[in-house]
Amino acid sequence: MLFLLPAILLVLVFRIFPLFWGFGISLTSATSTDPGQFIGAGNYLRALDDPNFRSAMANAVVVLLSVPIFVTIPMLLAILIHQGVPGRTFFRSVYFFPAILSSVIIGSIFSVVLSFNGNLNALLGIAGISGVDWLGHSATALPVTLAIQCWSTFGMGVLIFLAGLSTVSKEMVEAARLDGAKMWQIWWHVIIPELRPIIEFSTVITTIGLLTSMFGLIYVLTGGGPGTATTVPEYLIWAAQGKLNRPAYAAAVSMVLFFMTSILAWLQIRILSRNANI
Amino acid sequence: MPGAGKRQRLTLRIAAIPMGLLALSCLYPIFFAVNNALKTRHDYMLDRFGLATQPTLDNFVQAWTRAHLDEYFLNSVIATLGAVILLMVVSSMAGFALASLRFPYRRFLFAVILSSLMIPVQVVLVPFMRTMLALNLVNTHIGLILSYTAFFLPFSVYMMTAFYSGLPRELIEAARIDGASLLQVWWHVMLPLGTPALVTLAILNTLSCWNDILISLLVMQKHRTLMVGISALKGQYSDQIPLFTAGIVIAAAPIVVLYILFQRRIVSGIAVGAVKG
């Protein structure tokens, strides 16, 4: 029992107790120096009227809509690797490489490459195409950030799908092939249905990951801007707590984010336990 | 797949071309950073795409000394090392207790630790900062070490519990009959037996701690870690790309070395983590 004490204590002090405390703070008008007063749902109501919150939610929707891309690309690559594309061992290890680098490092490199007088635009200039301020333009900033996130994490997805593919029955694939099925028919009718549990699982963890792990990239690449073009809920929480000195408001946004991730975590647990029963 | 049809082999060969380009794109950023870090500012202006023909280490020296990366590097090493050691000790103890000892509320406590996986740092950011302030842990290495340990702990406990559950209980009973206390059993039996799982945990947690930005940004406002330092470097030296990329290379080097040395362990460890993460 004593052996468990350090772990329990750490989890209670830094995570579980703060969760309840944070809910308490979200119901007050606290600032960093003043405990404030109880104002009930005030911060939540204010959020509905706040353009920053609205665009953070709108951006979250864009992020969530991009989830299928984050799942499909690794799946297709993993199937190709599994089917024996030439150079597969090389691809396997190299694809994973960006996933181990810090988002700060990835972001720093891309900020050099993508800045207005950066390398990509210089290259386009040589080809006679006028450059775009990729990260400084509100129409391109979020899609570009998402593309970088996708590029830097797809190796992880490939890994998960390869693990799933190792359970796909070789006999079924072989039987389908002998029956004269074409490659895409085998993919569509045999492999992808067999991968369903992995697809569900990958969708849920990708979604949770996108809601809680883009901070580093956004912090380095765009600082949430231009305007609020790349402000997502997790970034808004950080900005409201520090820069804007509105901790109670930040706590309220935190609860909204927690609500979103909890639903996903609940789905994840359901999927995991159902898959375990098969 | 051996015996695959002719058309399938052709399709796969064609698919290998874009896949190869994608693989190159994964390696290019590191090449880009190293190559430009070796150039002088003047050379970079003249030719930003070419190879560094007269490589210089001057940027690394400048970044290390003038931009204070030496200090930030040390802070990152202390925080990462401290947190990884603490994570191994705490999760090995907890895993031992949960897998091998019988006490009331065992399952409930396991569920409590695992469920905290659902509470990312963003969700508790405000009260977390207040806790840190109340405990006088802001801007201290101990504070950062404890924060990392708290936020990376649940998965480590899960993994150690799973690993220890697979060991035969007779090992512990034999040691107990020989008169060893529980602490002795843990130290002399469980800790050495847990080595394979502990090594994997150490590598994965090193990656997470070294690469972290949000927690260190919150806790270490005065004594920056390397990642916080690098992100600040961008603003300070925005017109000195070679110096900036030298900083990036310094920050990435330990992780790249770790990847080269332990690639297999990282991949299998993350595969386990992904399936139960």
Side-chain angles (χ1 to χ4, degrees), chain B residues 228-244:
Chain B
V228 178
I230 291 293
S231 58
L233 207 62
K234 188 189 151 202
Q236 266 171 293
Y237 297 99
S238 56
D239 62 331
Q240 299 213 33
I241 301 301
L243 184 74
F244 180 47

Side-chain angles (χ1 to χ4, degrees), chain B residues 140-154:
Chain B
T140 64
H141 290 109
I142 288 291
L144 190 55
I145 290 170
L146 286 176
S147 312
Y148 281 161
T149 309
F151 282 99
F152 300 134
L153 188 67

Side-chain angles (χ1 to χ4, degrees), chain A residues 85-106:
Chain A
V85 82
R88 58 190 173 278
T89 32
F90 173 70
F91 295 155
R92 257 186 91 134
S93 57
V94 168
Y95 283 171
F96 191 63
F97 179 63
I100 59 145
L101 292 178
S102 164
S103 54
V104 172
I105 291 170
I106 303 268

Side-chain angles (χ1 to χ4, degrees), chain A residues 136-156:
Chain A
H137 199 283
S138 55
T140 51
L142 188 58
V144 167
T145 307
L146 278 168
I148 297 170
Q149 174 80 9
C150 185
W151 169 85
S152 71
T153 56
F154 80 95
M156 192 84 88

Side-chain angles (χ1 to χ4, degrees), chain B residues 12-172:
Chain B
L12 288 174
R13 265 189 212 142
I14 294 168
I17 298 166
M19 286 177 78
L21 291 176
L22 186 60
L24 286 183
S25 85
C26 291
L27 295 174
Y28 184 73
I30 279 296
F31 166 79
F32 173 86
V34 174
N35 185 39
N36 285 327
L38 293 171
K39 291 179 187 172
T40 64
R41 191 171 164 219
H42 185 72
D43 284 349
Y44 178 78
M45 298 287 207
L46 285 179
D47 182 9
R48 45 172 93 191
F49 299 107
L51 277 175
T53 43
Q54 290 163 311
T56 166
L57 292 177
D58 191 47
N59 293 310
F60 292 98
V61 178
Q62 291 280 322
W64 188 252
T65 55
R66 196 155 61 99
H68 305 293
L69 290 198
D70 52 350
E71 188 194 321
Y72 305 157
F73 199 94
L74 187 67
N75 288 336
S76 280
V77 169
I78 293 170
T80 303
L81 221 58
V84 168
I85 292 170
L86 196 59
L87 275 163
M88 289 201 289
V89 171
V90 172
S91 54
S92 166
M93 284 169 73
F96 166 50
L98 290 166
S100 319
L101 307 178
R102 295 287 169 265
F103 51 87
Y105 303 117
R106 193 171 55 98
R107 279 171 191 283
F108 171 72
L109 292 171
F110 184 57
V112 167
I113 293 179
L114 266 199
S115 66
S116 69
L117 271 174
M118 285 159 38
I119 313 173
V121 63
Q122 291 91 338
V123 162
V124 291
L125 200 138
V126 178
F128 166 70
M129 279 314 288
R130 299 206 165 178
T131 309
M132 296 298 284
L133 281 167
L135 298 174
N136 263 324
L137 288 172
V138 175
N139 285 320
T140 64
H141 290 109
I142 288 291
L144 190 55
I145 290 170
L146 286 176
S147 312
Y148 281 161
T149 309
F151 282 99
F152 300 134
L153 188 67
F155 172 66
S156 304
V157 171
Y158 167 78
M159 209 166 137
M160 289 317 294
T161 308
F163 184 81
Y164 284 146
S165 303
L167 295 179
R169 289 182 56 80
E170 289 78 32
L171 284 168
I172 302 162

Side-chain angles (χ1 to χ4, degrees), chain B residues 249-270:
Chain B
V249 173
I250 290 172
I255 293 303
V256 175
V257 171
L258 202 71
Y259 184 63
I260 293 168
L261 291 178
F262 296 107
Q263 198 196 332
R264 254 169 209 288
R265 266 227 146 84
I266 294 176
V267 168
S268 60
I270 290 188

Side-chain angles (χ1 to χ4, degrees), chain A residues 23 33 36 46 52 58 77-78 81 86 125 131 135 158 163 165-166 179 187 198 204 220 224 240 265 277:
Chain A
F23 179 63
T33 48
R46 201 162 303 158
N52 292 333
L77 290 169
I81 290 175
L135 297 166
V158 171
L165 280 163
S166 62
D179 285 347
W187 282 36
I198 307 285
V204 174
V220 176
N277 289 337

